[in-house]
Amino acid sequence: WDKTYGGSNDDYATSIQQTSDAGYILVGYTESNDGDVNDGNNGRWDAWILKLDGSGNKEWDKTYGGSGWDYAYSIQQTSDGGYIVAGYTESNDGDVSHGNNGKYDSWIIKLDGLGNKEWDKTYGGSSSDEPNSIQQTSDGGYIVCGWTKSNDGDISDGNNGGWDAWIIKL
């Protein structure tokens, strides 16, 4: 089978994982507010999460973001049946609870099994800080990798110049 999902504007998928119920969880970002984007749009781009069954039929979708640019790049089902999402945001409002330290901040969102937000955190400095992947660790925490241009804020190990690889243990 193959399926397409989206609305009347641009919609992107960036990561997919099979879930424990033999379905799929998909993450990306959208600027649509119609079609398959049933949860609305907060402004510009929003992080977009879709839950599919094993045949690719949409079970639910959620959008998260604020008035700025909000992207999601990685998702993983967690041991409690929920999901952990890594993306980045330039918003300082809406679903972004912890503000913004600079241009783009790494944005981590914990969801329950139905995609409802349990918590979110932002990490970064005064420049751009973008995660690319997240995994749950054996101790119940999370490991995030991405890149940063910052040399302040939550970047405690400094910056070697330009973009640096950035690993965060949560």
Side-chain angles (χ1 to χ4, degrees):
W1 54 264
D2 75 305
K3 303 278 184 171
T4 58
Y5 307 94
S8 58
N9 289 317
D10 291 334
D11 312 288
Y12 295 91
T14 56
S15 181
I16 191 168
Q17 183 190 43
Q18 191 166 31
T19 54
S20 59
D21 64 359
Y24 302 94
I25 193 73
L26 176 99
V27 72
Y29 47 98
T30 181
E31 78 178 335
S32 294
N33 198 18
D34 57 6
D36 294 312
V37 185
N38 294 330
D39 199 39
N41 188 294
N42 296 299
R44 296 192 183 175
W45 293 93
D46 277 352
W48 187 31
I49 297 95
L50 288 92
K51 174 65 175 79
L52 309 176
D53 67 17
S55 298
N57 301 306
K58 188 176 86 165
E59 294 181 350
W60 52 261
D61 77 292
K62 298 285 184 174
T63 55
Y64 293 101
S67 58
W69 302 84
D70 308 294
Y71 300 89
Y73 281 106
S74 181
I75 192 164
Q76 184 186 39
Q77 190 169 32
T78 53
S79 59
D80 64 1
Y83 304 97
I84 193 76
V85 177
Y88 68 91
T89 182
E90 73 166 4
S91 295
N92 201 15
D93 57 6
D95 298 312
V96 183
S97 303
H98 293 278
N100 187 292
N101 298 307
K103 185 171 174 74
Y104 294 118
D105 276 356
S106 293
W107 186 30
I108 310 303
I109 310 166
K110 175 64 174 81
L111 307 173
D112 68 16
L114 297 175
N116 301 306
K117 187 175 82 166
E118 294 180 343
W119 55 261
D120 73 297
K121 303 280 185 180
T122 53
Y123 301 95
S126 59
S127 192
S128 294
D129 313 291
E130 303 171 19
N132 193 45
S133 181
I134 191 165
Q135 296 289 314
Q136 189 168 32
T137 54
S138 59
D139 64 1
Y142 305 98
I143 192 80
V144 184
C145 77
W147 44 86
T148 181
K149 281 186 107 174
S150 296
N151 195 20
D152 56 7
D154 298 315
I155 291 72
S156 59
D157 198 32
N159 185 289
N160 297 304
W163 288 99
D164 278 359
W166 187 29
I167 311 300
I168 312 167
K169 174 64 171 86
L170 306 174

